[in-house]
Amino acid sequence: MTVENDIGLLERTLTALGRPAWDLTPEDIDRVVGDLALGGRTASSRHEYVQTFKGFHRFLQVRKAVEIEAGVGVRPVCPADEFNASRHVGDDSPAQLPPPTPERAAEFFDFLKARIATARKYGPAARDYAMFRTLYHVGLRSEEISLLERPDVHFSRGPFGKLHVRFGKGARTSGPRPRWVPMLDSLDLLLPWFLDDVRGKFPDSPVLFADESGGSLHRGTIRNRLRYLMELEGRPAADRFSPHALRRACASAASACTSSSRASTPPPWRAAPCSACSV
């Protein structure tokens, strides 16, 4: 690795750290990498940030240590070691916070549902409701839901229909791993409503949950959108959660939700939910 090859990532890292490299402490590294984890960065991205900084600091130690010590009286010692950031760099760091309970998820979706009637723009408000409910009930990653297209919705597959996740996350270097996921918990009612009444409010394109230009929502946009909606909801910071936490909540509730009764098919805003999810 060379400094030149990673200059863009290095500049972002140093800006986030906010202090000269020779003044940094292990706590500074923990703070920045922890912020990346809470912001939804993948483990590989967080690892890349740390490794880029460590490479730069090694460059300072080998090439510039004498100049730095003569100028500021400090000999550079790298603050990133094998201990101080390990809990943030691992895959499971966002899982340190518990996922929302079914009751908390129900409150949030009730807020989104009520907001549809009062929002300045009906389309984005209704899309948000359908998108985040789909993310929760199907357990998708933000990037996976952003890449769903209308032809990926198959109402005739299985008892409730299925979504074809063509760009599912695969193992490292293995490429996308497609999979089919069932439309549980009234999604087979919600998505027809979305396609019939909401999707036409956006420009025509294959994208299922489109932005206002008809394109795919970036996973960072989905994360920021969720954060914005929870700020509007006005709940304490301890009650807020990330898209990844919604995915984990789906896994927690799956066993309780698979036996939902399908006796009737009212519109999705009136659909009787399973008792575990109440949404």
Side-chain angles (χ1 to χ4, degrees), residues 246-269:
L246 279 178
R247 170 175 161 80
R248 293 174 52 235
C250 170
S252 300
S255 61
C257 295
T258 53
S259 59
S260 298
S261 172
R262 319 301 296 192
S264 60
T265 56
W269 52 89

Side-chain angles (χ1 to χ4, degrees), residues 56-279:
F56 173 65
H57 213 285
R58 177 63 177 163
F59 166 78
L60 294 181
Q61 290 174 305
V62 173
R63 300 283 186 90
K64 302 293 182 180
V66 174
E67 296 177 36
I68 292 172
E69 188 170 13
V72 298
V74 174
R75 178 169 288 272
V77 176
C78 185
D81 57 32
E82 66 270 32
F83 301 110
N84 64 350
S86 61
R87 66 187 179 92
H88 293 309
V89 176
D91 276 317
D92 295 329
S93 54
Q96 300 302 318
L97 297 176
T101 63
E103 294 75 19
R104 171 67 189 113
E107 292 169 350
F108 178 65
F109 291 125
D110 284 344
F111 165 74
L112 293 189
K113 184 165 55 177
R115 183 174 175 272
I116 295 173
T118 60
R120 184 172 63 89
K121 293 184 177 181
Y122 169 81
R127 177 208 59 203
D128 290 343
Y129 173 63
M131 178 176 66
F132 285 116
R133 275 197 56 178
T134 301
L135 192 152
Y136 172 64
H137 290 303
V138 181
L140 298 183
R141 299 172 177 87
S142 296
E143 188 166 9
E144 292 172 342
I145 203 168
S146 74
L147 295 174
L148 283 178
E149 296 186 349
R150 285 189 277 183
D152 295 326
V153 183
H154 296 260
F155 294 111
S156 62
R157 278 186 172 264
F160 309 132
K162 293 184 179 181
L163 295 176
H164 189 201
V165 184
R166 291 176 296 114
F167 297 98
K169 182 179 179 182
R172 287 188 179 182
T173 73
S174 69
R177 182 173 296 174
R179 69 183 188 278
W180 291 91
V181 293
M183 299 182 204
L184 301 177
D185 309 314
S186 300
L187 280 186
D188 59 331
L189 308 178
L190 177 71
L191 290 179
W193 163 75
F194 172 75
L195 289 170
D196 292 343
D197 295 351
V198 181
R199 184 58 184 82
K201 306 294 183 183
F202 296 85
D204 186 40
S205 75
V207 178
L208 182 59
F209 298 112
D211 61 21
E212 292 189 72
S213 67
S216 299
L217 291 164
H218 188 271
R219 65 180 183 180
T221 302
I222 294 174
R223 182 176 62 249
N224 293 338
R225 188 72 182 165
L226 180 59
R227 182 183 299 119
Y228 166 74
L229 291 168
M230 286 189 291
E231 289 173 356
L232 285 183
E233 187 187 15
R235 295 290 295 262
D239 289 344
R240 299 177 187 179
F241 46 82
S242 66
H244 181 77
L246 279 178
R247 170 175 161 80
R248 293 174 52 235
C250 170
S252 300
S255 61
C257 295
T258 53
S259 59
S260 298
S261 172
R262 319 301 296 192
S264 60
T265 56
W269 52 89
R270 297 176 187 165
C274 72
S275 58
C277 293
S278 302
V279 293

